[in-house]
């Protein structure tokens, strides 16, 4: 009898119980669909609309699990066009959606203000600030994340290494020193962002480019800015970094709310064919004034742009 029962195929509901369970639609958030869901206590679930599905897909791309440690360099040939605000905005976005905390490194040789933009200048000055120079001086003794944390600053789940503020030593970071820091960081963080200086020839830049998995090129809505971004990509392609140039993400930030006389479409077209992706960040006072960058005060369009950049960065790791 037992043998006979054993020979009978298991019913589908035992071998594949999922076949007998209705798939639940995701809960809609906001808009008419969200209102009807709330009004009916969830009994009328139309599922998320196209906009929410797009947002959910961005979140999925950003949060993907990574095997190993990856580094994205954010650079430009001109200052004041959104390089550091992009680093902070994208870093905070990665921290919001990823299960592991990202790290941002200020490798700007010109007294970079990455940590001030992430924390606020007042908080940073009160925190007995430690810099990349302090980290280098003690790097041999750091053998745990707890030890490393003494040299980090924290904007929520975004961990930061401050740039050197002393002008006498701010330009002293070498390629070899940067690579030592990058090696240390790779043991504890799966995603790192490096805020570079203006240009591609300062001391640390060869080490940054050597260890970068992809690049974000910051640009602005001006003919000169577009030409500089294109020149950056051409320089990279001509100096052994063809893959980085071809897979670069160009970010155009409308930092100064450019005049309507500027042909934005022409500038975007000028750049779009020479990089993997071009993403525009709209004008937003939350990033345009050079002060603290926090996601809560940004326009929805700006937050979405940072999500698109973060998703494109993670795409480049896989």
């Amino acid at each position: 009898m037992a043998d006979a029962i054993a020979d009978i195929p298991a019913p589908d509901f035992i071998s594949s119980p999922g076949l007998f369970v209705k798939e639940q639609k995701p809960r809609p958030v906001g808009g008419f669909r969200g209102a009807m869901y709330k009004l009916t206590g969830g009994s009328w679930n139309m599922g998320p609309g196209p906009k929410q599905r797009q947002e959910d897909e961005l979140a999925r791309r950003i949060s993907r699990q990574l095997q190993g440690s990856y580094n994205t360099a954010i650079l430009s040939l001109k200052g004041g066009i959104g390089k550091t605000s992009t680093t902070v905005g994208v870093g905070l976005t990665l921290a919001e959606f990823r299960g592991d905390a990202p790290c941002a490194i200020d490798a700007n040789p010109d007294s970079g203000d990455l940590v001030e933009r992430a924390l606020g200048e007042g908080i940073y000055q009160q925190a007995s600030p430690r810099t990349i120079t302090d980290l280098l001086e003690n790097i041999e003794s750091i053998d745990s994340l707890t030890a490393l944390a003494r040299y980090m600053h924290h904007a929520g789940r975004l961990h930061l290494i401050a740039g050197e503020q002393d002008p006498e030593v701010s330009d002293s970071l070498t390629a070899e020193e940067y690579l030592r820091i990058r090696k240390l960081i790779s043991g504890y963080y799966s995603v790192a962002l490096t805020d570079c200086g203006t240009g591609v020839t300062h001391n640390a830049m060869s080490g940054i480019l050597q260890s970068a998995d992809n690049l974000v090129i910051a640009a602005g809505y001006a003919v000169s800015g577009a030409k500089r971004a294109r020149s950056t990509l051409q320089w990279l392609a001509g100096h052994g970094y063809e893959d980085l140039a071809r897979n670069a993400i160009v970010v155009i930030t409308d930092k100064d709310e450019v005049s309507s006389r500027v042909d934005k479409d022409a500038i975007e077209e000028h750049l779009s064919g020479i990089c993997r992706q071009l993403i525009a960040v709209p004008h937003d006072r939350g990033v345009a004034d050079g002060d603290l960058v926090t996601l809560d005060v940004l326009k929805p369009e700006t937050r979405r742009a940072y999500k698109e950049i973060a998703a494109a960065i993670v795409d480049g790791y896989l």
Side-chain angles (χ1 to χ4, degrees):
M1 183 69 173
D3 292 340
I5 294 174
D7 291 336
I8 299 174
D12 285 343
F13 68 85
I14 294 176
S15 59
S16 302
L19 296 175
F20 297 87
V21 179
K22 280 189 176 181
E23 182 180 355
Q24 295 295 314
K25 292 181 182 178
R27 176 181 175 179
V29 178
F32 174 77
R33 293 167 183 253
M36 292 306 300
Y37 183 90
K38 288 183 179 180
L39 187 65
T40 62
S43 61
W44 189 5
N45 183 358
M46 302 170 66
K51 184 176 180 180
Q52 185 182 336
R53 289 198 297 270
Q54 291 171 1
E55 293 290 321
D56 291 345
E57 174 60 12
L58 284 175
R60 184 197 67 79
R61 287 166 59 198
I62 296 168
S63 63
R64 282 171 294 181
Q65 187 173 3
L66 298 171
Q67 301 297 324
S69 179
Y70 298 87
N71 179 33
T72 296
I74 296 92
L75 56 95
S76 69
L77 283 186
K78 181 181 183 297
I81 57 174
K83 175 174 59 63
T84 299
S85 61
T86 298
T87 306
V88 176
V90 172
L92 291 172
T93 301
L94 288 164
E96 179 180 4
F97 289 98
R98 291 194 58 77
D100 50 350
C103 173
I105 305 167
D106 191 343
N108 190 336
D110 300 315
S111 300
D113 62 350
L114 174 69
V115 176
E116 290 95 320
R117 299 295 302 278
L119 297 181
E121 188 172 356
I123 294 177
Y124 174 61
Q125 294 301 331
Q126 294 171 13
S128 59
R130 291 190 172 188
T131 69
I132 197 167
T133 302
D134 299 312
L135 176 58
L136 277 167
E137 288 176 351
N138 298 279
I139 197 167
E140 296 298 337
S141 66
I142 299 173
D143 57 2
S144 67
L145 185 57
T146 300
L148 177 58
R150 301 189 187 108
Y151 301 91
M152 308 287 281
H153 303 266
H154 302 84
R157 295 182 65 252
L158 174 61
H159 300 180
L160 306 110
I161 298 174
E164 182 53 61
Q165 300 300 300
D166 185 342
E168 292 187 4
V169 296
S170 63
D171 193 25
S172 64
L173 182 68
T174 67
E176 181 182 5
E177 289 171 334
Y178 174 82
L179 288 171
R180 293 178 70 195
I181 290 172
R182 173 70 193 118
K183 182 179 179 181
L184 174 67
I185 294 300
S186 68
Y188 303 103
Y189 295 91
S190 63
V191 177
L193 305 178
T194 300
D195 186 10
C196 307
T198 302
V200 289
T201 58
H202 61 79
N203 293 341
M205 204 64 208
S206 64
I208 293 171
L209 292 175
Q210 179 182 329
S211 67
D213 295 286
N214 54 20
L215 300 179
V216 170
I217 309 293
Y221 279 115
V223 174
S224 59
K227 286 182 177 179
R228 286 188 180 99
R230 192 179 185 93
S231 296
T232 302
L233 292 167
Q234 290 171 340
W235 184 94
L236 290 165
H239 288 77
Y241 303 106
E242 296 90 344
D243 287 345
L244 285 177
R246 183 172 53 254
N247 293 306
I249 304 157
V250 173
V251 174
I252 305 182
T253 300
D254 189 1
K255 191 172 182 182
D256 299 316
E257 199 165 17
V258 297
S259 166
S260 59
R261 292 175 297 170
V262 174
D263 190 341
K264 293 183 178 181
D265 291 337
I267 289 174
E268 291 179 11
E269 184 178 351
H270 180 72
L271 292 170
S272 60
I274 59 172
C275 60
R276 173 163 60 91
Q277 192 167 350
L278 185 144
I279 299 170
V281 179
H283 178 75
D284 193 324
R285 291 188 63 183
V287 299
D289 58 8
D291 198 1
L292 175 69
V293 176
T294 56
L295 298 181
D296 291 344
V297 302
L298 300 181
K299 296 177 180 178
E301 297 81 5
T302 308
R303 293 198 64 174
R304 179 178 176 82
Y306 287 150
K307 290 178 189 176
E308 290 175 353
I309 299 166
I313 285 172
V314 178
D315 286 346
Y317 297 156
L318 300 169

